[in-house]
């Protein structure tokens, strides 16, 4: 992995942690909030898509639309699960568990089924990154600062594991799509966001409980403008940078380096939400930095 690709992924990590902090501030209105920010992202990306298509840089065809639609399904499952997880457990448990589980599954599948063969240094670095993430999730012994009750911790781990599975799903599919189907990550993501918006808009009309979700949606537009705009801008920025990185480096390496966002997210959870156990979390950060160094050198 070159330093330029590493830089893309690290910038994406900062943006990712910041938008998750904003998302955590919105509770109890998960579906409506996910629809709102994906819909706004889609609207903001329409001019970009038009320019790409008009310039001839990447044609819009049915293969790209189908790939983007499948990606949209993965991203809807991920986004709705993420908001639900934040409603039921601390950010400092859900976020690191989700971000740690995702790359483990991604690396296993990429190596076992996709034929990717990273160097020994890169593989070692990737697993050191994952080990650092595991350190961040350690719960202190009784008598220390316990960030959550046992029940909340278990809920956080369960939600994090589910979210991590969806992360692996969209990461692997999107890696395939931007390397085999679409040469333009920007156009691919713009179409995917449009599909998310259309599918979720249909759901808010046709699914049971639609009236309550529509009321939530109106409340999001009135009372959560700052969080909405923050997520709608930073979420696409973070992921488009990752898509560009996946065109230049193996997904088995991009996935774990991307999870450096866990360190930033954990520190933000401590700073803004008062979540404890910061000493262990910083130790985990040092382990992650060591792993990133090995990946860069590899």
């Amino acid at each position: 992995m070159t330093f330029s690709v590493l830089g893309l992924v690290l910038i994406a990590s900062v943006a990712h942690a910041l938008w998750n902090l904003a998302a955590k501030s919105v509770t109890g209105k998960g579906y409506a909030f996910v629809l709102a920010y994906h819909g706004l992202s889609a609207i903001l990306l329409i001019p970009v898509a038009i320019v790409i298509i008009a310039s001839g840089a990447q044609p819009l065809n049915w293969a790209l639309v189908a790939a983007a639609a499948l990606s949209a399904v993965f991203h809807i499952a991920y986004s709705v699960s993420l908001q639900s997880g934040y409603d039921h457990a601390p950010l400092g448990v859900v976020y690191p568990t989700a971000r740690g589980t995702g790359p483990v599954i991604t690396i296993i599948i990429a190596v076992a089924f996709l034929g990717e063969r990273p160097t020994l240094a890169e593989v070692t670095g990737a697993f050191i990154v994952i080990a650092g993430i595991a350190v961040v999730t350690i719960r202190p012994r009784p008598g220390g600062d316990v960030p959550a009750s046992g029940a909340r911790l278990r809920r956080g781990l369960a939600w994090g594991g589910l979210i991590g599975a969806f992360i692996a799903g969209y990461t692997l599919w999107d890696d395939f799509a931007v390397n085999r189907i679409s040469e333009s990550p920007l156009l691919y993501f713009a179409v995917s966001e449009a599909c998310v918006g259309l599918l979720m808009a249909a759901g808010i009309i046709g699914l049971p409980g639609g009236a309550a979700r529509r009321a939530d949606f109106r409340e999001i537009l009135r009372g959560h403008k700052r969080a909405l705009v923050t997520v709608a801008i930073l979420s696409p920025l973070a992921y488009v940078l990752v898509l560009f990185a996946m065109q230049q480096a193996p997904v088995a390496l991009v996935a774990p380096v991307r999870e450096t966002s866990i360190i930033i997210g954990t520190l933000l959870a401590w700073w803004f939400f008062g979540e404890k156990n910061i000493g262990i979390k910083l130790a985990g950060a040092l382990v992650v930095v060591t792993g990133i160094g090995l990946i860069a050198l590899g």
Side-chain angles (χ1 to χ4, degrees):
M1 180 180 289
T2 65
F3 282 100
S4 60
V5 174
L6 181 62
L8 286 179
V9 181
L10 292 178
I11 293 171
S13 297
V14 174
H16 192 279
L18 290 172
W19 80 250
N20 271 264
L21 178 70
K24 171 66 175 174
S25 69
V26 181
T27 59
K29 300 176 178 64
Y31 190 100
F33 183 60
V34 171
L35 169 59
Y37 74 71
H38 277 293
L40 180 55
S41 293
I43 292 170
L44 294 174
L45 286 167
I46 286 174
V48 177
I50 291 173
V51 169
I52 293 172
I53 296 169
S55 69
Q58 169 70 55
L60 182 64
N61 52 48
W62 285 113
L64 188 152
V65 172
L70 180 55
S71 175
V73 173
F74 279 120
H75 280 276
I76 289 171
Y78 158 74
S79 299
V80 174
S81 297
L82 184 71
Q83 287 301 129
S84 297
Y86 286 162
D87 283 345
H88 293 89
L91 174 70
V93 177
V94 175
Y95 191 72
T97 304
R99 306 315 304 183
T101 304
V104 172
I105 300 172
T106 301
I107 289 174
I108 291 171
I109 294 177
V111 173
F113 298 104
L114 304 183
E116 293 192 357
R117 295 294 180 265
T119 67
L120 178 60
E122 289 171 332
V123 170
T124 302
F127 280 97
I128 288 175
V129 169
I130 294 168
I133 292 169
V135 170
V136 174
T137 66
I138 289 175
R139 185 183 180 191
R141 293 188 299 273
D145 285 331
V146 181
S149 67
R152 295 188 76 204
L153 178 62
R154 288 190 294 272
R155 284 198 301 270
L157 293 173
W159 277 108
L162 177 65
I163 296 162
F166 290 134
I167 291 171
Y170 74 64
T171 299
L172 290 166
W173 176 250
D174 290 346
D175 175 68
F176 173 82
V178 298
N179 284 290
R180 304 291 180 85
I181 298 174
S182 174
E183 295 180 0
S184 171
L186 264 174
L187 180 60
Y188 172 75
F189 187 74
V191 176
S192 177
E193 285 293 88
C195 291
V196 170
L198 291 172
L199 290 171
M200 295 195 73
I204 207 170
I205 295 171
L207 290 176
R213 291 193 182 97
R214 290 192 291 274
D216 288 343
F217 185 81
R218 290 190 291 270
E219 175 59 27
I220 292 294
L221 297 182
R222 286 195 303 266
H224 298 278
K225 293 185 181 69
R226 181 177 298 178
L228 172 59
V229 172
T230 299
V231 179
I233 293 174
L234 292 185
S235 178
L237 172 64
Y239 200 60
V240 167
L241 291 176
V242 169
L243 292 177
F244 276 110
M246 289 194 296
Q247 286 187 322
Q248 302 174 62
V251 66
L253 300 180
V254 173
V257 176
R258 182 187 176 205
E259 307 319 332
T260 53
S261 62
I262 189 174
I263 304 304
I264 304 163
T266 300
L267 291 172
L268 291 175
W270 165 71
W271 182 262
F272 286 97
F273 299 113
E275 297 182 14
K276 306 298 182 181
N277 199 25
I278 189 63
I280 292 177
K281 298 180 191 303
L282 289 176
L286 294 175
V287 176
V288 169
V289 170
T290 302
I292 293 172
L294 276 176
I295 291 172
L297 292 174

